[in-house]
Amino acid sequence: MAKIPDGNGPRRARRQIPPQSRLKLFRPISWRGGVIASSTDEYVSHLLIELGRLGMEIRDIEDHARPPNTRTVLSDLLQWLSDRPGKAYAELINWQTLDFPQMRSRLEEDRYAKPRIELSAEITKMNNLSVRWHPAGWRDSEFDWRRPDHHYSNLITHRKWQQPPDFHWFVGDEQPTFDSRPSNELMYVRGVGNLRPAPREEYGPYASYNRDIVDSILICAVRSAYETLLSQLEYSFDVTLIHAFDFVTRDEGDENDPWSARYPIRRVISWTIEDAVDLYARRDQEASLAKEHADRAKLENVATAYGFTLETFVGALLRASSVKRTGPAPSGEHLNRNAAKELRNAGFKIHAGEVRDIRELIERHRIEVLPEFLRPEVSEAPIPPNNIVRFPQDSE
């Protein structure tokens, strides 16, 4: 039976919105610093393995904001690993640019002296990472256009140095062009400033993969490449690091990894490039404060951990330090062993090493509970002799 029109005109078919493509999830990888630091290859390999597992290609995670310049972090890292800037390395290890008299005088004082350089990193206005080298002292030098030996292409003669550099010739910091980079640029990675590893609770309707995880892995690879470059340069040069990466991490579990509850993934959630001296000073201060907090907590927890109070512990030290009929009073490790024996005889489970640790905590944070003769000797700095002879001044 034919459908009778209702008089309201033909109906338009409702637009069918294509369903969102399934979100492809990259598995995270943990940032490990220090002795067990992961290499750049490990992070890059992890990304390539994940791309293959998810049926994706490198171009699927590259930047498409400025075509045709779509090659960004991963592509540039792969190129840097296989073909590092040969010209920049050649300029760096060109021994003809060294100031040989300066190096000879330094070698007479220190046979292990190396040419001194600085290594700096910056994010350009186009959000690219540029790593460059300069002769040591460059950052603290000043422009000096009045030098008599001024040479238009030798930047050594353009500046006033606080200490003589180890190079008599240096050319670099040129303005980049469409087909060339500065001659002192050792690493150039595009798109690093666009990496945003901050965790996202939800992804937009057009997201095809978890970009925050990918950005977290990429920034780990970039930092590893930068620190690998530093360690390699230190074989031949005395390197002063001007800038360093700082990471903020958080521990996360992985539902597909049964060991993640015990060994969680340390995921990078934010990063900055900071002045290396300020960064390391802040880290040392934070580590010192954390250690002091942990030591005080451990000292307050002595009664719970061992079953005796600090007064009982000090009493055992006093009895252990008593002078015997023959021989000197025990001190040092002998005192620790005797005090541990006293406490074990009283029914407490403790050994000499633990006594030494508790003594050190008391000496640092609660020294007032120790008698004078049990406190460590404080060595005072020697007072310099007042043997300065002042010459008489002529009267006016």
Side-chain angles (χ1 to χ4, degrees):
M1 179 184 297
K3 185 174 180 180
I4 301 175
D6 56 5
N8 295 329
R11 294 183 178 180
R12 292 184 178 180
R14 180 176 297 179
R15 182 182 178 185
Q16 297 293 330
I17 301 177
Q20 177 185 355
S21 60
R22 183 178 179 182
L23 191 67
K24 297 182 178 181
L25 300 179
F26 284 75
R27 292 176 296 192
I29 187 172
S30 184
W31 163 255
R32 298 193 295 271
V35 179
I36 56 173
S38 301
S39 65
T40 311
D41 299 347
E42 183 172 345
Y43 293 111
V44 171
S45 298
H46 178 82
L47 271 180
L48 296 178
I49 291 172
E50 289 297 285
L51 285 172
R53 183 180 65 87
L54 297 173
M56 302 175 67
E57 297 183 7
I58 293 178
R59 66 171 179 267
D60 295 328
I61 62 172
E62 297 281 55
D63 185 16
H64 301 281
R66 294 187 301 115
N69 302 317
T70 58
R71 290 165 56 86
T72 52
V73 182
L74 182 55
S75 294
D76 282 356
L77 277 177
L78 288 170
Q79 181 177 359
W80 185 80
L81 288 172
S82 61
D83 183 22
R84 299 187 182 183
K87 183 178 179 181
Y89 278 96
E91 294 289 340
L92 176 60
I93 61 176
N94 182 9
W95 308 120
Q96 295 178 346
T97 63
L98 282 177
D99 188 337
F100 288 109
Q102 168 69 11
M103 285 302 304
R104 188 180 299 113
S105 64
R106 290 188 57 221
L107 287 170
E108 290 175 354
E109 299 178 0
D110 180 10
R111 58 180 295 189
Y112 300 106
K114 302 176 183 178
R116 297 166 297 180
I117 64 172
E118 295 178 352
L119 189 68
S120 60
E122 67 168 348
I123 301 297
T124 67
K125 62 181 180 180
M126 299 301 292
N127 284 329
N128 304 322
L129 173 69
S130 176
V131 178
R132 306 187 187 189
W133 75 273
H134 298 85
W138 176 272
R139 185 172 65 164
D140 298 328
S141 63
E142 300 176 354
F143 283 104
D144 185 8
W145 298 99
R146 299 180 180 179
R147 284 184 53 167
D149 59 343
H150 177 84
H151 189 283
Y152 70 95
S153 61
N154 183 11
L155 300 185
I156 296 291
T157 63
H158 291 187
R159 311 181 79 85
K160 183 186 298 183
W161 301 83
Q162 296 184 4
Q163 292 183 356
D166 294 336
F167 298 82
H168 71 84
W169 189 275
F170 172 69
V171 178
D173 284 346
E174 301 93 346
Q175 289 296 323
T177 63
F178 71 95
D179 62 347
S180 66
R181 300 297 308 169
S183 58
N184 65 325
E185 187 176 64
L186 298 176
M187 180 185 295
Y188 177 67
V189 184
R190 289 170 288 185
V192 174
N194 295 323
L195 298 178
R196 301 288 186 268
R200 303 178 188 178
E201 299 298 332
E202 296 181 356
Y203 298 93
Y206 300 103
S208 58
Y209 65 95
N210 49 345
R211 178 177 289 273
D212 54 335
I213 294 292
V214 173
D215 286 358
S216 176
I217 301 171
L218 285 173
I219 194 59
C220 290
V222 171
R223 175 173 170 175
S224 291
Y226 179 61
E227 294 181 349
T228 299
L229 173 64
L230 169 65
S231 64
Q232 292 174 346
L233 292 176
E234 288 176 336
Y235 284 112
S236 301
F237 299 93
D238 183 0
V239 185
T240 298
L241 191 64
I242 303 300
H243 301 109
F245 282 82
D246 185 33
F247 279 174
V248 176
T249 62
R250 78 176 186 186
D251 291 344
E252 295 182 350
D254 185 359
E255 58 183 9
N256 298 319
D257 185 1
W259 292 96
S260 65
R262 186 173 181 181
Y263 303 103
I265 293 174
R266 180 167 295 177
R267 176 184 166 190
V268 176
I269 60 175
S270 68
W271 64 278
T272 55
I273 295 179
E274 301 188 22
D275 183 276
V277 174
D278 295 340
L279 176 61
Y280 293 151
R282 187 175 75 246
R283 286 180 181 174
D284 291 342
Q285 183 180 10
E286 292 173 353
S288 178
L289 292 174
K291 186 178 186 306
E292 181 179 357
H293 178 75
D295 287 348
R296 289 185 180 277
K298 186 176 180 180
L299 192 59
E300 294 175 358
N301 197 42
V302 165
T304 304
Y306 299 99
F308 52 76
T309 62
L310 291 184
E311 289 76 12
T312 302
F313 180 80
V314 173
L317 288 177
L318 289 173
R319 291 189 297 274
S321 62
S322 60
V323 180
K324 297 183 179 180
R325 294 181 180 179
T326 59
S331 61
E333 289 302 315
H334 294 286
L335 179 58
N336 295 335
R337 288 195 293 268
N338 293 345
K341 185 176 179 180
E342 287 279 340
L343 291 168
R344 286 196 299 269
N345 292 337
F348 303 108
K349 187 177 180 181
I350 192 172
H351 56 75
E354 293 170 324
V355 171
R356 179 177 59 252
D357 294 342
I358 297 175
R359 281 184 62 191
E360 291 176 353
L361 291 175
I362 293 176
E363 291 169 359
R364 287 199 298 267
H365 305 292
R366 292 288 303 277
I367 196 170
E368 68 276 2
V369 304
L370 290 176
E372 289 288 343
F373 71 93
L374 287 178
R375 298 179 184 181
E377 297 181 1
V378 180
S379 59
E380 298 181 356
I383 300 176
N386 187 13
N387 56 0
I388 300 177
V389 179
R390 300 185 180 276
F391 290 93
Q393 300 179 354
D394 296 334
S395 57
E396 295 181 356

